[in-house]
């Protein structure tokens, strides 16, 4: 089957970069990314390609190359559905905030709307691709909706979960560990659809890295991969607390573990807690699915990953309060970093939001600096929690576009994102302009411990003996 037109519904963090790379690698295929959010689409079409709505290293170059040639961003959802032989659904699937499954299940409202719209518009056969992360067996529900119009159009539903990580999206898309395609491989039509999608990826992904499975394995593999990754972070974070009590150093422990080839060294970086739009949402979804099958032990096992992560964020904030002589009321605290990880402007579920909220409850005066996150986004993240009035959020938390200003006269600095520029700052200057003792809480173990101590800071790192002091021979030791 020859594919000439691809439509992607959802121009977000996945739809945008994924389709830009497909368009770049397949110049003979027209790729149209559609969204109901007009503001987002007009940002994707902004004449200055540096103003596209998503910051990802390398993305603007790819968009500049393909946009207007065979990559299009549009709000004409119906038109793009009608024209395409292959439709990717890449809409949001957040945790439900109402009704049955509230706080755990994935909200499939937007997925269902897409299916209904496709069913209403399609006049010829289509391949529908689940790009969004979905609960296992969602393809069955999609099929039900699509076939219920009875207009004779035939659909093949494939699962093709996305494994890109934000901040490295372009590299992950250009050079993926694997591309997973689940389809109805027991039928001829199903196999043909799987092959058509394989052919798209095969333009740049080696064939041995394109894995085909049945639909259910593919859907479940995505949730499982995120659960395993998040579990590693929670596991090392659990050990970080024990390290702080025992004099062990979590970085040394992680290195020792990581050198065991059965364990591997990736994803063992202790932190203030994982954030991002996926880990928590997908694990909660997994827990909900397990519970709905009566698998309580399975559900409880995975839920611990979230419980540990909440604990890590909370204990980081509590440690600031405790160290600042048990009160932060009226004290200026500079927060460096608001995005959930470096090299992205995405703040969804960022640990910074929860740490700031906790400190605001204790009447701290916070000043936030992040190199890529806009002021309005910081306020909208806090307002979303509904902990206090919008006015109170704006009164007690300010957003600065200068890190030195943010840190001036502060009692403490909290580093919450691992932006590399933080390492390059003139820390002597920052120290001079802070109140003393000058506390730094390094939630990413980013800063050079010995150098910070030499300057005079009291440094609190994650998973290191606390508090750290410099000894006469210039070694850093626990007191
Ligand atoms: N963000 C990531 O790194 C990542 C990685 C892998 C998988 N995923 C999964 O991919 C999916 C999308 O995630 P995202 O981060 O791109 O979300 P997003 O919120 O950035 O983008 C989703 C877009 O879909 C649009 N949309 C919703 N309903 C629509 C409809 N009916 N018609 C047209 N447009 C519609 C929204 O307006 C929004 O712009 C989710 O299921 C997520 O779990 C995300
Ligand atoms: O050793 C580590 C690794 C990560 N993190 C934190 O974990 C979170 C998630 O990081 P990462 O996984 O790199 O970014 P995401 O963009 O959330 O990507 C995850 O979620 C995506 C959405 O499903 C998947 O596609 C990716 O494969 C999966 O890595 C971030 O807050 C990181 O700071 C740590 O604290 N320590």
């Amino acid at each position: 089957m020859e594919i000439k037109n691809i439509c992607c519904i959802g121009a977000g963090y996945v739809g945008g970069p994924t389709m830009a790379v497909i368009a770049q690698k397949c110049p003979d295929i027209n790729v149209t990314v559609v969204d109901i959010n007009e503001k987002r689409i007009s940002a994707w079409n902004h004449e200055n390609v540096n103003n596209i709505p998503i910051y990802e290293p390398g993305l603007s170059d790819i968009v500049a190359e393909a946009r207007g040639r065979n990559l299009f961003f549009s709000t004409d959802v119906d038109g793009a559905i009608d024209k395409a032989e292959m439709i990717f659904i890449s809409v949001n699937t957040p945790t439900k905030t109402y009704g049955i499954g509230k706080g755990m299940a994935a909200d499939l409202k937007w997925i269902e709307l897409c299916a209904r719209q496709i069913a209403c518009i399609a006049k010829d056969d289509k391949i529908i691709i689940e790009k969004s992360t979905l609960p296992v067996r969602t393809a069955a529900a999609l099929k039900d909706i699509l076939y219920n119009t009875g207009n004779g159009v035939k659909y093949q539903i494939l699962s093709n979960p996305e494994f890109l990580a934000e901040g490295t999206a372009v590299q992950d898309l250009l050079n993926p560990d694997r591309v997973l395609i689940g389809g109805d491989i027991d039928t001829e039509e199903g196999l043909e659809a799987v092959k058509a999608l394989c052919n798209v990826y095969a333009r740049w992904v080696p064939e041995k890295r394109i894995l085909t499975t049945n639909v259910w394995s593919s859907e479940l593999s995505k949730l499982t991969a995120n659960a395993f990754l998040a579990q590693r972070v929670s596991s090392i974070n659990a050990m970080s607390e024990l390290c702080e009590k025992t004099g062990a150093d979590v970085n040394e422990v992680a290195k020792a573990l990581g050198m065991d080839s059965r364990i591997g060294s990736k994803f063992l970086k202790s932190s203030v807690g994982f954030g991002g739009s996926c880990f928590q949402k997908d694990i909660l979804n997994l827990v909900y699915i397990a519970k709905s099958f009566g698998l309580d032990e399975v559900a409880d096992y995975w839920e611990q990953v979230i419980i540990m992560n909440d604990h890590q964020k909370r204990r980081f904030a509590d440690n600031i309060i405790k160290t600042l002589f048990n009160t932060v009321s009226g004290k200026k605290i500079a927060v460096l970093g608001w995005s959930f990880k470096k090299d992205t402007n995405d703040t969804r579920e960022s640990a910074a939001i929860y740490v700031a909220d906790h400190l605001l409850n204790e009447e701290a005066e916070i000043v936030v600096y992040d190199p890529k996150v806009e002021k309005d986004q910081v306020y909208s993240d806090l307002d979303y929690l509904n902990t206090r009035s919008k006015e109170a959020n704006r009164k007690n938390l300010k957003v600065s576009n200068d890190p030195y200003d943010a840190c001036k006269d502060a009692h403490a600095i909290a580093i919450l994102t691992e932006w590399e520029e933080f390492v390059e700052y003139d820390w002597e200057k920052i120290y001079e302009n802070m109140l003393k003792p000058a506390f730094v809480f390094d939630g990413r173990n980013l800063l050079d411990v010995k150098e910070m101590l030499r300057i005079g800071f009291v440094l609190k790192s994650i998973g290191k003996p606390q508090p750290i002091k410099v000894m006469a021979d210039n070694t850093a030791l626990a007191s």
Side-chain angles (χ1 to χ4, degrees), residues 297-398:
E297 289 78 7
V298 177
D300 292 349
Y301 176 76
W302 288 109
E303 196 166 14
Q304 277 303 318
V305 174
I306 304 286
I307 292 171
M308 190 62 227
N309 196 49
D310 288 341
H311 172 68
Q312 187 77 348
K313 292 185 276 191
R314 178 67 183 239
R315 82 179 185 89
F316 182 85
D318 282 344
N319 191 26
I320 297 180
I321 300 160
K322 202 170 106 206
T323 309
L324 265 60
F325 316 107
N326 288 318
T327 177
V328 289
S329 178
K331 293 181 181 170
K332 177 175 174 181
I333 298 178
V335 165
L336 297 185
W338 192 261
S339 60
F340 80 96
K341 63 186 281 198
K342 71 172 178 177
D343 290 339
T344 175
N345 58 351
D346 193 350
T347 62
R348 290 177 287 181
E349 295 297 336
S350 177
I353 305 169
Y354 297 94
V355 171
D357 188 57
H358 192 57
L359 295 175
L360 286 171
N361 282 342
E362 296 287 323
E363 301 182 347
E365 290 177 10
I366 297 181
V367 180
V368 175
Y369 166 79
D370 186 288
K372 289 285 174 204
V373 178
E374 308 272 345
K375 185 174 173 173
D376 288 350
Q377 186 61 49
V378 175
Y379 287 127
S380 116
D381 290 337
L382 275 177
D383 293 345
Y384 184 76
L385 295 181
N386 231 344
T387 315
R388 64 193 72 72
S389 70
K390 289 186 175 182
E391 293 70 35
N393 281 334
R394 279 147 192 81
K395 180 167 171 277
N396 299 321
L397 183 142
K398 305 285 176 211

Side-chain angles (χ1 to χ4, degrees), residues 42-57:
S42 72
W44 278 112
N45 284 324
H46 199 283
E47 58 182 338
N48 180 351
V49 82
N50 292 317
N51 290 346
I52 55 177
I54 286 162
Y55 173 71
E56 276 293 337

